[in-house]
Amino acid sequence: MLYNLTDVFTSPDITTEQVMDFTRDEYECDGQSYEIVKKEPVHLVFSNIGKGKAKVNGHCAFSFAMQCDRCLKDVTTEIELDFEYEVKSPETEMTEEEKEEQSFMKGYQFDADEVINNEILMKWPMKVLCSDDCKGICPVCGNNLNDGDCGCDSFVPDPRLAKIKDIFNANKEV
Ligand SMILES: [Zn+2]
Ligand SMILES: [Zn+2]
């Protein structure tokens, strides 16, 4: 959703609050699509902080359907966003760097969806686990080891080490 900030840029000390619903139900990350299972309305506050300058504060929280990296169990991960940006009116003089930093501004309009997408990406977890001590999946039979031990001999020896062991055993027999 786009918010026109013309009034905020031109009216000293004005503060306006907006509540918006993030319309998307899915989030794309690394070529994968994640369902948004829960979302709070997005609260946005726009404040004038000088001639042609505004501050944007935002808060919201989303829950995504993910999978445990070790055992593939379904996990719901909440990501809470709290952001603050200072933006300038397009009439104000800006360096190239400043323009780039507020690339989510489309002229006088603040692109809330673009900011929220970027903020989610920045907070995206590097690792998703159902619990810190998740035991993962048995490499032999595929059993979820959190449900109990399957009894497989999951020790897969390095073939080079196995050879040394053979030699060792052979010598012992002599
Ligand atoms: Zn797990
Ligand atoms: Zn097993």
Side-chain angles (χ1 to χ4, degrees), residues 19-79:
V19 180
M20 110 177 198
D21 285 316
F22 192 60
T23 48
R24 290 171 51 191
D25 294 315
E26 281 185 344
Y27 185 74
E28 305 271 336
C29 186
D30 267 342
Q32 236 191 304
S33 179
Y34 297 87
E35 191 193 344
I36 301 174
V37 288
K38 211 176 94 199
K39 54 188 169 187
E40 283 176 11
V42 183
H43 283 260
L44 295 165
V45 178
F46 303 104
S47 335
N48 178 286
I49 51 164
K51 195 169 171 282
K53 283 187 196 168
K55 194 173 76 174
V56 183
N57 286 87
H59 182 267
C60 51
F62 300 96
S63 295
F64 299 90
M66 298 187 187
Q67 281 186 324
C68 173
D69 288 338
R70 282 187 203 151
C71 74
L72 305 179
K73 192 181 144 186
D74 290 332
V75 178
T76 303
T77 305
E78 193 189 69
I79 295 180

Short mmCIF file of all heavy atoms in Angstrom, two decimals, residues 19-79:
data_model
loop_
_atom_site.label_atom_id
_atom_site.label_comp_id
_atom_site.label_asym_id
_atom_site.label_seq_id
_atom_site.Cartn_x
_atom_site.Cartn_y
_atom_site.Cartn_z
N VAL A 19 -3.27 2.23 10.16
CA VAL A 19 -3.27 0.78 10.39
C VAL A 19 -3.59 0.12 9.05
O VAL A 19 -4.56 0.50 8.40
CB VAL A 19 -4.32 0.36 11.44
CG1 VAL A 19 -4.30 -1.15 11.64
CG2 VAL A 19 -4.05 1.06 12.77
N MET A 20 -2.74 -0.79 8.66
CA MET A 20 -2.96 -1.42 7.36
C MET A 20 -2.89 -2.94 7.48
O MET A 20 -2.23 -3.47 8.37
CB MET A 20 -1.93 -0.88 6.36
CG MET A 20 -0.90 -1.87 5.95
SD MET A 20 0.28 -1.29 4.72
CE MET A 20 0.87 -2.90 4.20
N ASP A 21 -3.61 -3.61 6.61
CA ASP A 21 -3.53 -5.07 6.55
C ASP A 21 -2.58 -5.45 5.43
O ASP A 21 -2.72 -4.99 4.31
CB ASP A 21 -4.90 -5.68 6.27
CG ASP A 21 -5.79 -5.65 7.51
OD1 ASP A 21 -5.27 -5.97 8.59
OD2 ASP A 21 -6.96 -5.27 7.39
N PHE A 22 -1.61 -6.28 5.79
CA PHE A 22 -0.69 -6.80 4.78
C PHE A 22 -1.49 -7.82 3.98
O PHE A 22 -1.96 -8.82 4.52
CB PHE A 22 0.51 -7.45 5.47
CG PHE A 22 1.66 -7.76 4.55
CD1 PHE A 22 2.30 -6.75 3.85
CD2 PHE A 22 2.11 -9.06 4.41
CE1 PHE A 22 3.37 -7.03 3.01
CE2 PHE A 22 3.19 -9.36 3.58
CZ PHE A 22 3.81 -8.33 2.88
N THR A 23 -1.70 -7.55 2.70
CA THR A 23 -2.67 -8.35 1.93
C THR A 23 -2.15 -9.72 1.52
O THR A 23 -2.94 -10.60 1.24
CB THR A 23 -3.10 -7.58 0.67
OG1 THR A 23 -1.94 -7.09 0.01
CG2 THR A 23 -4.02 -6.45 1.02
N ARG A 24 -0.85 -9.88 1.47
CA ARG A 24 -0.35 -11.16 0.97
C ARG A 24 -0.44 -12.28 2.01
O ARG A 24 -0.30 -12.04 3.20
CB ARG A 24 1.10 -11.00 0.50
CG ARG A 24 1.16 -10.15 -0.77
CD ARG A 24 2.57 -9.81 -1.12
NE ARG A 24 3.40 -11.00 -1.13
CZ ARG A 24 4.73 -10.94 -1.20
NH1 ARG A 24 5.34 -9.78 -1.22
NH2 ARG A 24 5.43 -12.04 -1.23
N ASP A 25 -0.67 -13.50 1.53
CA ASP A 25 -0.77 -14.66 2.42
C ASP A 25 0.45 -15.55 2.32
O ASP A 25 0.55 -16.57 2.99
CB ASP A 25 -2.01 -15.49 2.08
CG ASP A 25 -3.27 -14.72 2.39
OD1 ASP A 25 -3.34 -14.11 3.46
OD2 ASP A 25 -4.17 -14.70 1.53
N GLU A 26 1.36 -15.18 1.42
CA GLU A 26 2.56 -15.98 1.24
C GLU A 26 3.77 -15.06 1.13
O GLU A 26 3.64 -13.90 0.75
CB GLU A 26 2.44 -16.81 -0.05
CG GLU A 26 1.58 -18.03 0.14
CD GLU A 26 1.55 -18.93 -1.07
OE1 GLU A 26 1.94 -18.46 -2.16
OE2 GLU A 26 1.14 -20.07 -0.92
N TYR A 27 4.91 -15.63 1.47
CA TYR A 27 6.14 -14.86 1.36
C TYR A 27 7.17 -15.69 0.61
O TYR A 27 7.36 -16.87 0.90
CB TYR A 27 6.65 -14.51 2.75
CG TYR A 27 7.86 -13.61 2.71
CD1 TYR A 27 7.72 -12.26 2.38
CD2 TYR A 27 9.13 -14.12 2.98
CE1 TYR A 27 8.83 -11.45 2.31
CE2 TYR A 27 10.24 -13.29 2.92
CZ TYR A 27 10.09 -11.96 2.58
OH TYR A 27 11.19 -11.16 2.52
N GLU A 28 7.80 -15.07 -0.37
CA GLU A 28 8.80 -15.77 -1.18
C GLU A 28 10.18 -15.47 -0.62
O GLU A 28 10.53 -14.31 -0.41
CB GLU A 28 8.77 -15.26 -2.63
CG GLU A 28 7.42 -15.35 -3.31
CD GLU A 28 7.18 -16.68 -4.00
OE1 GLU A 28 8.19 -17.34 -4.35
OE2 GLU A 28 6.01 -17.05 -4.18
N CYS A 29 10.93 -16.54 -0.38
CA CYS A 29 12.30 -16.36 0.10
C CYS A 29 13.15 -17.47 -0.49
O CYS A 29 12.80 -18.65 -0.37
CB CYS A 29 12.33 -16.40 1.63
SG CYS A 29 13.94 -16.02 2.30
N ASP A 30 14.25 -17.10 -1.15
CA ASP A 30 15.15 -18.09 -1.77
C ASP A 30 14.42 -19.02 -2.73
O ASP A 30 14.67 -20.23 -2.75
CB ASP A 30 15.83 -18.94 -0.68
CG ASP A 30 17.16 -18.32 -0.29
OD1 ASP A 30 17.66 -17.49 -1.08
OD2 ASP A 30 17.69 -18.66 0.78
N GLY A 31 13.48 -18.49 -3.49
CA GLY A 31 12.76 -19.30 -4.47
C GLY A 31 11.74 -20.24 -3.87
O GLY A 31 11.18 -21.09 -4.55
N GLN A 32 11.52 -20.11 -2.56
CA GLN A 32 10.52 -20.96 -1.90
C GLN A 32 9.39 -20.10 -1.37
O GLN A 32 9.61 -18.94 -1.00
CB GLN A 32 11.19 -21.70 -0.75
CG GLN A 32 11.03 -23.21 -0.85
CD GLN A 32 11.46 -23.89 0.42
OE1 GLN A 32 12.59 -23.71 0.87
NE2 GLN A 32 10.56 -24.65 1.03
N SER A 33 8.22 -20.66 -1.32
CA SER A 33 7.07 -19.91 -0.85
C SER A 33 6.65 -20.38 0.54
O SER A 33 6.53 -21.57 0.77
CB SER A 33 5.93 -20.10 -1.85
OG SER A 33 4.81 -19.40 -1.40
N TYR A 34 6.47 -19.43 1.45
CA TYR A 34 6.10 -19.76 2.82
C TYR A 34 4.74 -19.16 3.13
O TYR A 34 4.51 -17.98 2.87
CB TYR A 34 7.14 -19.20 3.81
CG TYR A 34 8.51 -19.80 3.63
CD1 TYR A 34 9.41 -19.27 2.73
CD2 TYR A 34 8.88 -20.93 4.36
CE1 TYR A 34 10.67 -19.82 2.54
CE2 TYR A 34 10.14 -21.49 4.20
CZ TYR A 34 11.02 -20.93 3.28
OH TYR A 34 12.27 -21.49 3.11
N GLU A 35 3.86 -19.97 3.69
CA GLU A 35 2.53 -19.48 4.01
C GLU A 35 2.61 -18.59 5.27
O GLU A 35 3.29 -18.93 6.23
CB GLU A 35 1.59 -20.66 4.28
CG GLU A 35 0.14 -20.25 4.37
CD GLU A 35 -0.74 -21.36 4.94
OE1 GLU A 35 -0.29 -22.52 4.97
OE2 GLU A 35 -1.84 -21.05 5.38
N ILE A 36 1.91 -17.47 5.22
CA ILE A 36 1.80 -16.61 6.41
C ILE A 36 0.58 -17.10 7.17
O ILE A 36 -0.55 -16.91 6.73
CB ILE A 36 1.67 -15.12 6.02
CG1 ILE A 36 2.87 -14.67 5.19
CG2 ILE A 36 1.53 -14.25 7.27
CD1 ILE A 36 2.77 -13.25 4.65
N VAL A 37 0.80 -17.78 8.30
CA VAL A 37 -0.32 -18.41 9.00
C VAL A 37 -1.01 -17.44 9.96
O VAL A 37 -2.15 -17.64 10.34
CB VAL A 37 0.12 -19.69 9.75
CG1 VAL A 37 0.41 -20.80 8.76
CG2 VAL A 37 1.33 -19.44 10.63
N LYS A 38 -0.29 -16.40 10.36
CA LYS A 38 -0.89 -15.42 11.28
C LYS A 38 -0.25 -14.07 10.99
O LYS A 38 0.94 -13.98 10.75
CB LYS A 38 -0.61 -15.83 12.72
CG LYS A 38 -1.68 -15.40 13.70
CD LYS A 38 -1.39 -15.94 15.10
CE LYS A 38 -0.63 -14.93 15.92
NZ LYS A 38 0.06 -15.50 17.07
N LYS A 39 -1.04 -13.03 11.03
CA LYS A 39 -0.46 -11.70 10.87
C LYS A 39 -1.24 -10.67 11.66
O LYS A 39 -2.46 -10.75 11.78
CB LYS A 39 -0.39 -11.30 9.40
CG LYS A 39 -1.68 -11.39 8.63
CD LYS A 39 -1.45 -11.15 7.14
CE LYS A 39 -2.71 -11.51 6.36
NZ LYS A 39 -2.53 -11.46 4.93
N GLU A 40 -0.50 -9.76 12.24
CA GLU A 40 -1.11 -8.66 12.98
C GLU A 40 -1.26 -7.49 12.01
O GLU A 40 -0.46 -7.37 11.08
CB GLU A 40 -0.19 -8.21 14.11
CG GLU A 40 -0.21 -9.13 15.31
CD GLU A 40 0.79 -8.68 16.37
OE1 GLU A 40 1.33 -7.57 16.26
OE2 GLU A 40 1.03 -9.47 17.29
N PRO A 41 -2.23 -6.62 12.25
CA PRO A 41 -2.29 -5.42 11.41
C PRO A 41 -0.99 -4.62 11.55
O PRO A 41 -0.36 -4.63 12.60
CB PRO A 41 -3.48 -4.62 11.96
CG PRO A 41 -4.22 -5.57 12.85
CD PRO A 41 -3.27 -6.63 13.29
N VAL A 42 -0.60 -3.96 10.49
CA VAL A 42 0.63 -3.18 10.50
C VAL A 42 0.31 -1.77 11.01
O VAL A 42 -0.59 -1.11 10.49
CB VAL A 42 1.22 -3.09 9.07
CG1 VAL A 42 2.54 -2.34 9.08
CG2 VAL A 42 1.38 -4.48 8.47
N HIS A 43 1.04 -1.35 12.05
CA HIS A 43 0.85 0.01 12.56
C HIS A 43 1.95 0.91 12.01
O HIS A 43 3.13 0.60 12.14
CB HIS A 43 0.91 0.03 14.09
CG HIS A 43 -0.35 -0.46 14.71
ND1 HIS A 43 -1.31 0.39 15.20
CD2 HIS A 43 -0.84 -1.71 14.87
CE1 HIS A 43 -2.33 -0.32 15.65
NE2 HIS A 43 -2.06 -1.61 15.47
N LEU A 44 1.55 2.01 11.42
CA LEU A 44 2.52 2.94 10.86
C LEU A 44 2.27 4.33 11.45
O LEU A 44 1.12 4.75 11.58
CB LEU A 44 2.36 3.01 9.34
CG LEU A 44 2.67 1.74 8.54
CD1 LEU A 44 2.12 1.86 7.13
CD2 LEU A 44 4.16 1.46 8.51
N VAL A 45 3.35 4.99 11.83
CA VAL A 45 3.24 6.36 12.34
C VAL A 45 4.14 7.25 11.50
O VAL A 45 5.34 6.98 11.35
CB VAL A 45 3.64 6.45 13.83
CG1 VAL A 45 3.54 7.89 14.33
CG2 VAL A 45 2.76 5.54 14.68
N PHE A 46 3.55 8.29 10.92
CA PHE A 46 4.32 9.24 10.12
C PHE A 46 4.39 10.56 10.87
O PHE A 46 3.36 11.12 11.25
CB PHE A 46 3.63 9.47 8.76
CG PHE A 46 3.41 8.20 7.97
CD1 PHE A 46 2.15 7.61 7.89
CD2 PHE A 46 4.47 7.60 7.31
CE1 PHE A 46 1.95 6.44 7.15
CE2 PHE A 46 4.28 6.43 6.57
CZ PHE A 46 3.02 5.86 6.49
N SER A 47 5.60 11.06 11.12
CA SER A 47 5.74 12.32 11.85
C SER A 47 6.61 13.30 11.06
O SER A 47 7.62 12.90 10.47
CB SER A 47 6.40 12.12 13.21
OG SER A 47 6.21 10.82 13.70
N ASN A 48 6.22 14.54 11.13
CA ASN A 48 7.04 15.59 10.53
C ASN A 48 8.21 15.89 11.48
O ASN A 48 8.02 16.08 12.67
CB ASN A 48 6.20 16.85 10.32
CG ASN A 48 7.02 17.99 9.75
OD1 ASN A 48 7.82 18.60 10.46
ND2 ASN A 48 6.84 18.27 8.48
N ILE A 49 9.42 15.92 10.93
CA ILE A 49 10.59 16.23 11.77
C ILE A 49 11.40 17.37 11.17
O ILE A 49 12.61 17.45 11.30
CB ILE A 49 11.49 14.98 11.99
CG1 ILE A 49 11.85 14.31 10.65
CG2 ILE A 49 10.87 13.97 12.92
CD1 ILE A 49 13.02 13.33 10.74
N GLY A 50 10.71 18.25 10.48
CA GLY A 50 11.37 19.40 9.85
C GLY A 50 10.81 19.60 8.45
O GLY A 50 10.04 18.78 7.96
N LYS A 51 11.23 20.69 7.85
CA LYS A 51 10.70 21.02 6.52
C LYS A 51 11.14 19.95 5.50
O LYS A 51 12.32 19.71 5.33
CB LYS A 51 11.23 22.39 6.10
CG LYS A 51 10.48 22.99 4.94
CD LYS A 51 10.88 24.46 4.74
CE LYS A 51 10.29 25.01 3.44
NZ LYS A 51 11.02 24.58 2.26
N GLY A 52 10.15 19.31 4.89
CA GLY A 52 10.45 18.28 3.89
C GLY A 52 11.02 16.99 4.44
O GLY A 52 11.56 16.17 3.71
N LYS A 53 10.92 16.83 5.77
CA LYS A 53 11.47 15.61 6.39
C LYS A 53 10.40 14.89 7.20
O LYS A 53 9.60 15.53 7.90
CB LYS A 53 12.61 15.97 7.35
CG LYS A 53 13.92 16.29 6.65
CD LYS A 53 14.97 16.45 7.74
CE LYS A 53 16.21 17.13 7.21
NZ LYS A 53 17.08 17.52 8.34
N ALA A 54 10.44 13.58 7.16
CA ALA A 54 9.47 12.81 7.93
C ALA A 54 10.14 11.58 8.52
O ALA A 54 11.13 11.08 8.01
CB ALA A 54 8.30 12.39 7.04
N LYS A 55 9.56 11.14 9.62
CA LYS A 55 10.02 9.90 10.25
C LYS A 55 8.89 8.89 10.12
O LYS A 55 7.72 9.23 10.32
CB LYS A 55 10.32 10.18 11.73
CG LYS A 55 11.11 9.07 12.40
CD LYS A 55 11.53 9.49 13.80
CE LYS A 55 10.34 9.41 14.74
NZ LYS A 55 10.68 9.66 16.15
N VAL A 56 9.25 7.67 9.77
CA VAL A 56 8.25 6.61 9.64
C VAL A 56 8.58 5.52 10.65
O VAL A 56 9.69 4.98 10.65
CB VAL A 56 8.26 6.00 8.22
CG1 VAL A 56 7.17 4.94 8.09
CG2 VAL A 56 8.11 7.07 7.15
N ASN A 57 7.63 5.22 11.52
CA ASN A 57 7.80 4.11 12.46
C ASN A 57 6.78 3.03 12.12
O ASN A 57 5.63 3.34 11.81
CB ASN A 57 7.56 4.58 13.90
CG ASN A 57 8.72 5.40 14.40
OD1 ASN A 57 8.75 6.62 14.21
ND2 ASN A 57 9.68 4.75 15.03
N GLY A 58 7.22 1.82 12.19
CA GLY A 58 6.29 0.73 11.87
C GLY A 58 6.45 -0.42 12.84
O GLY A 58 7.53 -0.67 13.36
N HIS A 59 5.34 -1.10 13.09
CA HIS A 59 5.39 -2.29 13.93
C HIS A 59 4.38 -3.31 13.44
O HIS A 59 3.26 -2.96 13.11
CB HIS A 59 5.10 -1.95 15.40
CG HIS A 59 5.20 -3.16 16.27
ND1 HIS A 59 4.12 -3.94 16.58
CD2 HIS A 59 6.28 -3.75 16.84
CE1 HIS A 59 4.52 -4.95 17.34
NE2 HIS A 59 5.83 -4.87 17.50
N CYS A 60 4.81 -4.56 13.38
CA CYS A 60 3.89 -5.65 13.05
C CYS A 60 4.57 -6.99 13.32
O CYS A 60 5.76 -7.04 13.62
CB CYS A 60 3.45 -5.59 11.58
SG CYS A 60 4.77 -5.45 10.41
N ALA A 61 3.79 -8.04 13.26
CA ALA A 61 4.34 -9.37 13.50
C ALA A 61 3.65 -10.38 12.58
O ALA A 61 2.45 -10.27 12.31
CB ALA A 61 4.13 -9.77 14.96
N PHE A 62 4.44 -11.31 12.09
CA PHE A 62 3.92 -12.34 11.20
C PHE A 62 4.37 -13.71 11.69
O PHE A 62 5.45 -13.84 12.24
CB PHE A 62 4.48 -12.16 9.78
CG PHE A 62 4.15 -10.85 9.15
CD1 PHE A 62 5.05 -9.79 9.19
CD2 PHE A 62 2.94 -10.67 8.51
CE1 PHE A 62 4.74 -8.58 8.60
CE2 PHE A 62 2.62 -9.46 7.92
CZ PHE A 62 3.53 -8.41 7.97
N SER A 63 3.55 -14.71 11.43
CA SER A 63 3.97 -16.08 11.69
C SER A 63 4.00 -16.85 10.38
O SER A 63 3.04 -16.80 9.60
CB SER A 63 3.00 -16.76 12.66
OG SER A 63 3.07 -16.12 13.91
N PHE A 64 5.11 -17.53 10.15
CA PHE A 64 5.30 -18.25 8.89
C PHE A 64 5.34 -19.76 9.13
O PHE A 64 5.90 -20.23 10.12
CB PHE A 64 6.63 -17.84 8.24
CG PHE A 64 6.69 -16.39 7.91
CD1 PHE A 64 7.17 -15.48 8.84
CD2 PHE A 64 6.27 -15.92 6.68
CE1 PHE A 64 7.23 -14.12 8.54
CE2 PHE A 64 6.32 -14.58 6.37
CZ PHE A 64 6.80 -13.67 7.30
N ALA A 65 4.79 -20.49 8.17
CA ALA A 65 4.88 -21.96 8.23
C ALA A 65 6.22 -22.37 7.62
O ALA A 65 6.48 -22.12 6.45
CB ALA A 65 3.73 -22.58 7.45
N MET A 66 7.08 -22.95 8.45
CA MET A 66 8.40 -23.40 7.99
C MET A 66 8.58 -24.86 8.37
O MET A 66 7.70 -25.48 8.93
CB MET A 66 9.50 -22.56 8.64
CG MET A 66 9.44 -21.08 8.30
SD MET A 66 10.88 -20.20 8.94
CE MET A 66 10.42 -18.51 8.59
N GLN A 67 9.76 -25.37 8.04
CA GLN A 67 10.07 -26.76 8.40
C GLN A 67 11.41 -26.79 9.13
O GLN A 67 12.33 -26.05 8.79
CB GLN A 67 10.17 -27.62 7.15
CG GLN A 67 8.82 -28.03 6.60
CD GLN A 67 8.95 -29.00 5.46
OE1 GLN A 67 9.87 -28.90 4.66
NE2 GLN A 67 8.04 -29.94 5.37
N CYS A 68 11.50 -27.69 10.12
CA CYS A 68 12.74 -27.86 10.86
C CYS A 68 13.85 -28.31 9.88
O CYS A 68 13.64 -29.21 9.07
CB CYS A 68 12.54 -28.90 11.94
SG CYS A 68 14.06 -29.34 12.80
N ASP A 69 14.99 -27.65 9.95
CA ASP A 69 16.11 -27.98 9.04
C ASP A 69 16.65 -29.39 9.27
O ASP A 69 17.27 -29.97 8.40
CB ASP A 69 17.27 -26.98 9.23
CG ASP A 69 16.91 -25.62 8.67
OD1 ASP A 69 16.02 -25.55 7.81
OD2 ASP A 69 17.51 -24.62 9.11
N ARG A 70 16.45 -29.93 10.46
CA ARG A 70 17.01 -31.25 10.76
C ARG A 70 16.02 -32.38 10.55
O ARG A 70 16.36 -33.42 10.01
CB ARG A 70 17.50 -31.30 12.22
CG ARG A 70 18.83 -30.61 12.40
CD ARG A 70 19.36 -30.83 13.81
NE ARG A 70 20.30 -29.78 14.17
CZ ARG A 70 20.50 -29.36 15.41
NH1 ARG A 70 19.83 -29.90 16.41
NH2 ARG A 70 21.36 -28.40 15.66
N CYS A 71 14.76 -32.21 11.03
CA CYS A 71 13.82 -33.35 10.98
C CYS A 71 12.62 -33.08 10.07
O CYS A 71 11.75 -33.94 9.94
CB CYS A 71 13.35 -33.71 12.38
SG CYS A 71 12.18 -32.53 13.09
N LEU A 72 12.55 -31.88 9.47
CA LEU A 72 11.49 -31.51 8.53
C LEU A 72 10.09 -31.38 9.15
O LEU A 72 9.11 -31.29 8.44
CB LEU A 72 11.43 -32.49 7.34
CG LEU A 72 12.73 -32.68 6.55
CD1 LEU A 72 12.53 -33.69 5.43
CD2 LEU A 72 13.23 -31.35 5.98
N LYS A 73 10.02 -31.38 10.45
CA LYS A 73 8.73 -31.19 11.13
C LYS A 73 8.23 -29.75 10.87
O LYS A 73 9.03 -28.83 10.74
CB LYS A 73 8.94 -31.40 12.63
CG LYS A 73 7.68 -31.52 13.44
CD LYS A 73 8.02 -31.70 14.91
CE LYS A 73 7.01 -30.97 15.76
NZ LYS A 73 7.33 -30.97 17.17
N ASP A 74 6.90 -29.61 10.80
CA ASP A 74 6.33 -28.27 10.60
C ASP A 74 6.58 -27.40 11.83
O ASP A 74 6.34 -27.82 12.95
CB ASP A 74 4.83 -28.36 10.33
CG ASP A 74 4.54 -28.98 8.97
OD1 ASP A 74 5.40 -28.84 8.08
OD2 ASP A 74 3.47 -29.60 8.81
N VAL A 75 7.03 -26.20 11.58
CA VAL A 75 7.35 -25.27 12.66
C VAL A 75 6.74 -23.91 12.30
O VAL A 75 6.79 -23.51 11.15
CB VAL A 75 8.88 -25.10 12.80
CG1 VAL A 75 9.23 -24.11 13.89
CG2 VAL A 75 9.57 -26.43 13.06
N THR A 76 6.14 -23.26 13.27
CA THR A 76 5.65 -21.91 13.05
C THR A 76 6.65 -20.93 13.63
O THR A 76 7.01 -21.02 14.79
CB THR A 76 4.27 -21.70 13.71
OG1 THR A 76 3.38 -22.69 13.19
CG2 THR A 76 3.71 -20.33 13.41
N THR A 77 7.15 -20.05 12.79
CA THR A 77 8.16 -19.09 13.24
C THR A 77 7.59 -17.69 13.19
O THR A 77 7.08 -17.25 12.16
CB THR A 77 9.40 -19.16 12.32
OG1 THR A 77 9.87 -20.50 12.29
CG2 THR A 77 10.50 -18.24 12.82
N GLU A 78 7.66 -16.99 14.31
CA GLU A 78 7.16 -15.62 14.34
C GLU A 78 8.29 -14.64 14.07
O GLU A 78 9.40 -14.80 14.59
CB GLU A 78 6.51 -15.30 15.68
CG GLU A 78 5.72 -14.00 15.58
CD GLU A 78 5.19 -13.46 16.92
OE1 GLU A 78 6.01 -13.02 17.74
OE2 GLU A 78 3.98 -13.47 17.09
N ILE A 79 8.01 -13.69 13.25
CA ILE A 79 8.97 -12.62 12.99
C ILE A 79 8.29 -11.30 13.33
O ILE A 79 7.22 -10.99 12.81
CB ILE A 79 9.45 -12.63 11.52
CG1 ILE A 79 10.24 -13.91 11.23
CG2 ILE A 79 10.31 -11.40 11.22
CD1 ILE A 79 10.74 -14.03 9.81
#
